[in-house]
């Protein structure tokens, strides 16, 4: 929900209409997280570029389902029901297993992700939580722990960027 003016697809003109045509959903719907940019269409272009490159770029090496899980978790931590709902559907599609997706949400809500992930992936989720809730406590040892568990520095960057994107979007 926006607390500033947004321009609907129906009322969009010029550059905004052109951008909306690239991102619209069924029935010409525009996601709230995108329509919030309608007064500054250039920022919508930047938002979409950031989203696609951070979450869906083929050069990422972490599995897409894991990156989506991070985004969903960060959205949950931020109490962004819109993104939780939207990205839960995305996680179900990526996992192709509704039960596994539901189990993930139960683990998130029960603060029991250690029972869902192996130790490596769990530490990646803890890093996302730290970036979201307690950035000021981050130290080099947090990064060293991720490296010891087998994350490359590029993969640590992927976690950081997905987390940062969702903190921005939420």
């Amino acid at each position: 929900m926006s607390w500033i003016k947004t321009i609907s697809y129906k009322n969009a003109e010029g550059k905004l209409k052109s951008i909306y045509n690239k991102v619209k959903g069924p029935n010409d719907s525009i996601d709230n997280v995108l329509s919030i940019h309608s007064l500054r269409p250039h920022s919508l272009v930047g938002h979409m570029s950031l989203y696609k490159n951070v979450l869906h770029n083929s050069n990422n090496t972490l599995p897409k389902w894991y990156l989506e899980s991070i985004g969903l978790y960060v959205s949950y931590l931020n109490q962004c029901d819109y993104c939780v709902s939207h990205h839960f559907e995305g996680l179900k599609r990526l996992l192709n297993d509704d039960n596994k997706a539901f189990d993930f949400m139960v683990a998130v809500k029960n603060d029991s992700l250690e029972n869902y992930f192996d130790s490596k992936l769990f530490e990646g989720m803890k890093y996302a939580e730290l970036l979201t809730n307690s950035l000021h406590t981050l130290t080099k040892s947090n990064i060293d722990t991720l490296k010891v568990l087998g994350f490359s520095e590029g993969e640590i960057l992927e976690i950081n960027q997905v987390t940062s994107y969702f903190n921005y979007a939420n």
Side-chain angles (χ1 to χ4, degrees):
M1 169 176 81
S2 172
W3 293 327
I4 63 171
K5 176 184 173 182
T6 60
I7 301 170
S8 68
Y9 178 81
K10 183 179 100 176
N11 294 325
E13 298 175 346
K15 183 176 182 176
L16 178 61
K17 184 73 150 202
S18 175
I19 296 167
Y20 272 1
N21 281 327
K22 294 176 185 174
V23 300
K24 67 181 180 176
N27 302 319
D28 296 333
S29 63
I30 304 296
D31 289 341
N32 293 334
V33 71
L34 303 179
S35 68
I36 193 74
H37 294 277
S38 61
L39 298 177
R40 299 293 185 267
H42 63 278
S43 69
L44 175 53
V45 172
H47 181 136
M48 289 307 299
S49 179
L50 180 63
Y51 172 75
K52 288 180 180 181
N53 280 292
V54 165
L55 208 59
H56 298 292
N57 193 291
S58 62
N59 292 311
N60 288 338
T61 59
L62 291 173
K64 286 183 182 182
W65 67 265
Y66 184 64
L67 297 176
E68 189 80 28
S69 298
I70 292 169
L72 181 53
Y73 181 50
V74 168
S75 297
Y76 179 82
L77 293 172
N78 287 326
Q79 300 177 26
C80 182
D81 295 337
Y82 168 81
C83 284
V84 168
S85 175
H86 181 77
H87 289 279
F88 179 66
E89 293 303 317
L91 181 62
K92 288 193 311 188
R93 281 190 301 277
L94 289 169
L95 291 173
N96 197 27
D97 184 339
D98 287 1
N99 289 332
K100 193 170 183 178
F102 284 110
D103 290 346
F104 173 74
M105 283 309 302
V106 168
V108 166
K109 290 176 181 179
N110 291 336
D111 195 22
S112 61
L113 288 174
E114 70 278 4
N115 297 325
Y116 187 83
F117 292 110
D118 65 27
S119 59
K120 176 184 175 181
L121 296 181
F122 173 64
E123 284 298 322
M125 297 301 278
K126 281 179 45 180
Y127 175 56
E129 180 181 15
L130 180 68
L131 291 172
T132 300
N133 290 337
S134 305
L135 179 62
H136 65 283
T137 67
L138 180 70
T139 66
K140 183 178 180 299
S141 68
N142 298 109
I143 304 305
D144 291 340
T145 297
L146 295 172
K147 289 179 187 179
V148 167
L149 288 169
F151 283 108
S152 70
E153 291 186 356
E155 290 170 335
I156 295 168
L157 180 60
E158 287 177 36
I159 296 169
N160 187 297
Q161 290 186 345
V162 168
T163 302
S164 297
Y165 167 78
F166 277 90
N167 280 311
Y168 161 72
N170 295 159

